[in-house]
Amino acid sequence: MPVRLRLPAGLRAALATATAAGLACTGLALAGPASAAGDALSVQYRTSAGGATADQSEPWLQVTNTGSTTVPLNRVVLRYYFKADGPAVTYRFACSWAVKGCANITGTFGTPAHPTATADRYLEIGFTGGAGSLAPGQSTGDMQLRFYRSDWQTLTQSDDYSFGADRTTYADWNRVTLQEGSTLIWGTAPAGNDPSPSPSPSPSPTGSTPPPDPHAAALFDDFRYTSSSDPAVQQHGWTVKSGQGGPGVPGATWSPQDLTFTTTGGTSTMNLALTTDGTAAGTRETEIQTSARKFRNGTYAARVRFDDTPTGGPDGDHVNQTFFAFTPLAAPMDPNYSEQDFEYLPNGGWGEPSNIMYETTWETYNPDPWQAVNTHGEQRRSYDGWHDLQLTIDATSATYFIDGQVVAVHGEPYLPETPQFIDFNHWLIDLAGQTSTTPRTYTEQVDYLYFVKDQVLTPAQVASAVSGYRAAGTGFTDTVPAG
């Protein structure tokens, strides 16, 4: 189990103090005709890292619809041009915060057809279908983007074509290009490098997919066990955590006895309890993890019940209720570390004041000094009760679903490089949420776990597969080969 660390939410909020959209046009010329009658879009730019050199380049952008027709954002592509620090240097993209949601923004790197002294690479920004459309007069709002060298060395940006050191507030900027479909709408590319036609709009992840392979390797567990000490738990490839150690409050105890199983009306559930009296010594947490690291690309699914309120005692503790997959961190900034999380905080935590769901995809991190390479989606609402959680991973993206709806899509560099564990845990982030000494218990429940290797299934296909196992009386099967 890796150390569970996150960029503090207070810092995320601080990053969101951007200047509002709607600044007057500075007269920079548009390039190219509109792709449809009335279409017109403009790009505003600013940077929060104006030095000639920097740890990372921070092109903050927003797009405004200045035309008379509504434009789907998944038809829009922007390019920010820069000079690489060397022919072998590679870069990584990240989104710190965005009004449209970082999960709906993609970033990839390319090479112009005709490299120049100030532009031999570009960062291409796109949008998923989840970003929606821009009606006339609307703006995307703030997109706080950044990129950095893969080796984390200082980069030089003073010789970058699209960089503007003095642009500390948003204003129109024609050194970033924007195209809609195959038509250049805004900006001036470096000489001889008008953007090539864009691909077709990104398909919705909920669209049609090939039928599942009935012979694909799969794991299904209905959690038909008597207790955490039932020999079948270990025989079926599970490890129950005990003792002390992270994540969460130092001194809390991981308690196998608080991981229980119930069967009602033929339906089995796994129960992960968290009990606390507001002290570390009086806090018991639960975790269960696969014994084998053998899960990477494919479909992960579980039906999970989250718990907003405790049984007895006062509410308000900063508990974390999870379903995730991960590869452990072997060393700081380990390039083979990976993690994909559903994390529900019913009472907030990490600076958040109330319930929030996170979908976080990790590339790597350094615990000391803290440095995170991740991206996330979030929903600020209650998820009390039962929910269908699904994660699909293929060569291009990690897509998160809740109750059949896409809530986050993340691409490279965040996709896993090596096989992973699957894990559920229920733990206390800190002791700040509720200081009462009255004992109280929160319970996260799991109905089933399903994984199918190298198959990207729709939620309907997952539901059909689970129903098939249950109709056949299959409580457990595992044909996934060792990683």
Side-chain angles (χ1 to χ4, degrees):
M1 174 67 196
V3 178
R4 307 292 300 140
L5 296 167
R6 179 181 299 280
L7 179 69
L11 178 55
R12 292 199 303 272
L15 289 172
T17 57
T19 304
L23 298 176
C25 179
T26 60
L28 296 176
L30 295 177
S35 62
D39 281 10
L41 298 159
S42 62
V43 178
Q44 291 77 46
Y45 161 83
R46 62 163 293 195
T47 183
S48 61
T53 61
D55 292 334
Q56 56 189 4
S57 185
E58 299 187 27
W60 292 13
L61 303 171
Q62 59 187 16
V63 176
T64 302
N65 186 346
T66 58
S68 58
T69 60
T70 297
V71 177
L73 280 171
N74 68 346
R75 286 185 52 82
V76 171
V77 172
L78 301 95
R79 285 185 181 176
Y80 178 96
Y81 298 88
F82 64 98
K83 176 72 172 177
D85 293 292
V89 175
T90 59
Y91 296 85
R92 292 181 174 178
F93 165 78
C95 172
S96 296
W97 188 85
V99 172
K100 287 291 185 180
C102 284
N104 296 316
I105 297 172
T106 63
T108 57
F109 296 94
T111 302
H114 303 284
T116 71
T118 59
D120 58 10
R121 304 281 181 90
Y122 58 77
L123 168 63
E124 182 167 286
I125 303 300
F127 300 88
T128 71
S133 300
L134 287 186
Q138 284 188 336
S139 166
T140 59
D142 212 12
M143 295 185 290
Q144 298 178 8
L145 313 178
R146 55 192 173 92
F147 65 92
Y148 53 92
R149 289 177 54 149
S150 300
D151 60 7
W152 290 99
Q153 298 300 306
T154 298
L155 57 77
T156 298
Q157 57 182 357
S158 57
D159 58 355
D160 292 349
Y161 175 85
S162 296
F163 175 64
D166 59 346
R167 301 285 171 158
T168 57
T169 59
Y170 275 116
D172 288 356
W173 189 239
N174 73 343
R175 287 179 172 264
V176 173
T177 60
L178 180 150
Q179 62 188 108
E180 181 190 351
S182 60
T183 303
L184 185 64
I185 299 291
W186 173 270
T188 303
N193 288 291
D194 285 348
S196 57
S198 293
S200 301
S202 302
S204 168
T206 58
S208 61
T209 61
D213 178 0
H215 305 294
L219 164 66
F220 175 74
D221 199 335
D222 220 6
F223 297 112
R224 300 179 186 177
Y225 306 111
T226 58
S227 70
S228 63
S229 59
D230 185 334
V233 173
Q234 184 176 10
Q235 292 166 6
H236 289 173
W238 292 103
T239 298
V240 180
K241 189 171 183 176
S242 62
Q244 295 185 344
V249 177
T253 300
W254 296 95
S255 172
Q257 292 73 31
D258 289 308
L259 180 77
T260 61
F261 301 88
T262 57
T263 301
T264 304
T267 300
S268 300
T269 58
M270 177 171 65
N271 313 299
L272 294 92
L274 182 148
T275 298
T276 185
D277 62 3
T279 68
T283 298
R284 302 193 309 274
E285 305 165 318
T286 47
E287 178 174 8
I288 184 170
Q289 174 186 304
T290 59
S291 304
R293 265 183 60 193
K294 59 179 184 177
F295 310 96
R296 186 182 173 189
N297 289 1
T299 297
Y300 303 72
R303 182 163 173 78
V304 178
R305 183 185 181 280
F306 298 112
D307 190 2
D308 277 2
T309 56
T311 301
D315 195 3
D317 294 285
H318 291 161
V319 300
N320 192 331
Q321 302 170 4
T322 77
F323 166 44
F324 64 101
F326 77 100
T327 295
L329 187 78
M333 304 307 288
D334 176 11
N336 289 326
Y337 169 76
S338 61
E339 188 164 343
Q340 307 87 43
D341 301 326
F342 286 98
E343 291 181 299
Y344 179 54
L345 282 56
N347 296 312
W350 290 319
E352 293 291 341
S354 59
N355 40 34
I356 186 169
M357 174 74 82
Y358 287 112
E359 303 86 28
T360 308
T361 310
W362 292 78
E363 169 62 13
T364 191
Y365 70 92
N366 184 4
D368 187 21
W370 174 241
Q371 191 173 34
V373 185
N374 65 28
T375 188
H376 77 277
E378 60 186 46
Q379 297 79 46
R380 299 172 185 273
R381 49 154 288 191
S382 170
Y383 278 93
D384 187 66
W386 285 102
H387 297 279
D388 295 313
L389 309 182
Q390 180 174 326
L391 165 69
T392 62
I393 303 176
D394 60 18
T396 62
S397 61
T399 302
Y400 296 79
F401 301 77
I402 299 180
D403 297 329
Q405 300 298 311
V406 175
V407 292
V409 181
H410 302 151
E412 289 292 10
Y414 307 103
L415 303 182
E417 294 84 8
T418 60
Q420 306 182 114
F421 296 106
I422 297 176
D423 197 302
F424 298 90
N425 66 9
H426 192 180
W427 52 282
L428 189 64
I429 294 172
D430 56 42
L431 299 172
Q434 175 56 258
T435 58
S436 170
T437 58
T438 301
R440 55 269 186 191
T441 299
Y442 302 80
T443 303
E444 175 186 1
Q445 295 178 286
V446 183
D447 180 19
Y448 68 83
L449 170 71
Y450 174 55
F451 171 84
V452 58
K453 179 178 171 62
D454 296 331
Q455 299 283 298
V456 173
L457 304 187
T458 67
Q461 289 170 331
V462 167
S464 177
V466 172
S467 295
Y469 284 123
R470 287 178 164 169
T474 302
F476 175 81
T477 184
D478 183 4
T479 59
V480 180

